[in-house]
DNA sequence: TTATTGTTGCAACAAGGTTGCAAATTGTAT
DNA sequence: ATACAATTTGCAACCTTGTTGCAACAATAA
């Protein structure tokens, strides 16, 4: 499944209301609760992956307990509504799967481009060489998955 | 410079004594202290990258204060004696640059193989395609560095 | 040998995250 | 609409990784 929520378009952003959020939760088999609606509301309006702290701050008045937020994010990630990306600052970033034409869905082999400046994480199409044969043959390593990370500056930060 | 300390050969391992460790510290412009000799002793005998906790445990009787260990590892990394690798468990792994014929020094493009079971991190020779051209041409991203990670099971855990 | 400078150990702290549990809320079956 | 079972929430306490400030101490250079 591929839910398309464009972040670049303000018009679309404004259109995301309670009804849409509820149906999104339903689609992923989650109970609709006040906290989940608020968290999802924040994620839906962000073009970049957010940290736990970012989300708490963006919730402002409507804030929740920090534990609730961690658990909410876990549920979202477990059912595939959002994805988690590890950062070198030993914390996680969370983002909705999005339909940005410049990125691809978060499955299959692809690269993550992590901007040094704004820390946005982009999923990029990439030709990743298959190392399985090479590595296994050489020393009995068996490969489960590959991750290719690119670090640099994104177009917005130039 | 390339310091060759084979981990696969017990004979060589046994040969690493106080004298060698001291000269290694000297070569990297570090003062020789008891704590540094002990930490270096542990790192020199490990074929895989170790966490702060691993090192403390391996030091056993000869243990140091945890802060001292953090600072020691920082000094080692700053001068290039060891390298740090980030893990998704929000902690660092530290390893000496080594001359193991099956791995390559930690500079230039290569891959990290991270074992799912024992979490050892291996530096692997790898043919990493240069994505710079492709990515920059396509959309104005500029690349600073690339990291290629392989996840799976290592020979020891089969 | 001494002066200078860098290193150690301790206590306290900070950020990110988890656990256990009682109270509140959701979805569902009636 | 009501009641019930199963989840979800919020709180307090806790854990892990890592850092800071500071006084005492040790390594090197003169």
């Amino acid at each position: 499944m591929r839910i398309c929520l464009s972040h670049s378009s303000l018009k679309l952003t404004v259109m995301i209301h309670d009804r849409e959020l509820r149906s999104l939760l339903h689609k992923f088999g989650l109970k609709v609760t006040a906290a989940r609606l608020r968290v999802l509301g924040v994620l839906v309006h962000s073009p970049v992956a957010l940290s736990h702290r970012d989300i708490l701050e963006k919730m402002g008045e409507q804030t929740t307990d920090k534990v609730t937020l961690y658990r909410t994010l876990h549920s979202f990630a477990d059912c595939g509504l959002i994805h988690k990306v590890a950062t070198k600052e030993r914390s996680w970033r969370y983002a909705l799967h999005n339909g940005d034409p410049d990125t691809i869905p978060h499955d299959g082999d692809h690269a993550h481009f992590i901007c040094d400046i704004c820390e946005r994480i982009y999923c990029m199409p990439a030709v990743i060489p298959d190392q399985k044969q090479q590595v296994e043959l050489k020393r009995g390593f068996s490969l489960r998955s590959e991750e290719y990370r690119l670090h640099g500056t994104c177009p917005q930060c130039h």
Side-chain angles (χ1 to χ4, degrees), chain A:
Chain A
M1 188 193 339
R2 174 109 169 255
I3 314 290
C4 279
L5 299 164
S6 173
H7 302 300
S8 23
S9 154
L10 182 62
K11 204 169 61 178
L12 260 185
T13 295
V14 169
M15 286 173 63
I16 300 170
H17 282 318
D18 196 71
R19 209 174 317 112
E20 280 88 351
L21 299 181
R22 283 171 184 277
S23 96
L24 203 46
L25 290 174
H26 270 127
K27 279 179 187 165
F28 283 86
L30 295 167
K31 283 191 177 179
V32 175
T33 70
R36 284 174 179 174
L37 285 171
R38 279 180 265 138
V39 174
L40 191 53
V42 169
L43 288 170
V44 154
H45 292 98
S46 171
V48 298
L50 299 173
S51 67
H52 177 273
R53 180 213 286 252
D54 292 336
I55 298 171
L56 269 192
E57 281 170 5
K58 282 186 191 288
M59 289 178 77
E61 302 282 301
Q62 307 259 43
T63 201
T64 57
D65 182 68
K66 64 171 188 156
V67 180
T68 300
L69 179 51
Y70 277 118
R71 292 200 265 229
T72 300
L73 293 169
H74 288 173
S75 326
F76 286 5
D78 282 349
C79 70
L81 211 188
I82 63 175
H83 65 264
K84 279 167 83 168
V85 186
T87 69
K88 61 173 180 297
E89 284 77 28
R90 62 206 192 81
S91 64
W92 297 95
R93 301 275 166 147
Y94 307 85
L96 226 68
H97 290 270
N98 66 59
D100 183 335
D102 279 344
T103 64
I104 60 171
H106 191 90
D107 51 11
D109 282 345
H110 66 278
H112 285 137
F113 185 99
I114 303 169
C115 178
D116 293 334
I117 296 168
C118 67
E119 293 191 322
R120 281 187 183 86
I121 296 169
Y122 300 82
C123 296
M124 308 281 282
V127 182
I128 299 179
D130 190 6
Q131 299 279 327
K132 290 188 183 73
Q133 302 271 326
Q134 194 182 342
V135 176
E136 261 179 288
L137 280 173
K138 275 199 181 162
R139 342 213 238 119
F141 286 84
S142 76
L143 208 59
R144 202 202 70 245
S145 68
E146 309 171 75
E147 188 188 2
Y148 186 44
R149 295 184 175 202
L150 309 168
H151 300 269
T153 315
C154 78
Q156 266 106 76
C157 294
H158 263 310

